[in-house]
Amino acid sequence: MKNYALLVFLTFGIMFNAAAKTSSDIIETAIIVKIADEYVKIKSSELTPPVIEEILKQYPTSKLGGAFKNDKGEFKLIMVLKSGTRKTVYIDQHGNWINKR
C-alpha cells in the first residue's frame, strides 16, 4: 500500500515538473525578439550627392543593382561589380561608410 502511494506522488511530481518546465521555456522564448532595420526600396535618384560621390570613388567600374533606405537615413546599396558578383554595402546620408555584418 505504501508503495502505491509513493508511486502516485512520484507520478504527480513528474507531471507537474514537466508542465512547469514547458511553460517557463515558452515564456523565455516569447521574450526574445530581435529588432531589425527595415530598408525600403528607393529609386537611385533619391540618393544624396555625398553618397553618389562616395560610390563613384570606391566603385568606379561597378553598377548600382539596388538601393534601399531605412528610417535613420542609412542606405543599403547592392553593387554589381565588374566581375558580375554582387556586393552589399551600407552608407549614411552624409557619405560615411557603415560596417554591418
Side-chain angles (χ1 to χ4, degrees):
M1 186 74 161
K2 290 180 185 180
N3 289 338
Y4 291 118
L6 183 61
L7 183 62
V8 169
F9 287 125
L10 185 60
T11 304
F12 280 122
I14 292 173
M15 283 189 334
F16 288 125
N17 186 22
K21 183 170 177 70
T22 304
S23 64
S24 67
D25 290 345
I26 291 171
I27 292 170
E28 288 177 14
T29 305
I31 292 174
I32 299 173
V33 177
K34 183 177 179 183
I35 299 173
D37 292 333
E38 285 196 32
Y39 288 90
V40 179
K41 188 167 178 100
I42 61 170
K43 295 179 182 179
S44 59
S45 61
E46 295 181 43
L47 295 173
T48 61
V51 171
I52 295 171
E53 289 175 17
E54 280 297 315
I55 292 171
L56 293 174
K57 268 194 236 176
Q58 294 294 322
Y59 301 98
T61 60
S62 301
K63 295 180 182 177
L64 184 62
F68 303 88
K69 185 178 181 180
N70 68 4
D71 295 336
K72 298 177 190 175
E74 298 172 343
F75 295 99
K76 174 183 173 182
L77 306 173
I78 300 173
M79 303 302 297
V80 180
L81 305 178
K82 190 175 182 179
S83 64
T85 58
R86 293 179 180 264
K87 182 175 183 180
T88 304
V89 294
Y90 299 90
I91 191 168
D92 69 6
Q93 60 190 353
H94 305 291
N96 300 317
W97 295 102
I98 302 169
N99 291 327
K100 290 194 178 184
R101 296 186 191 228

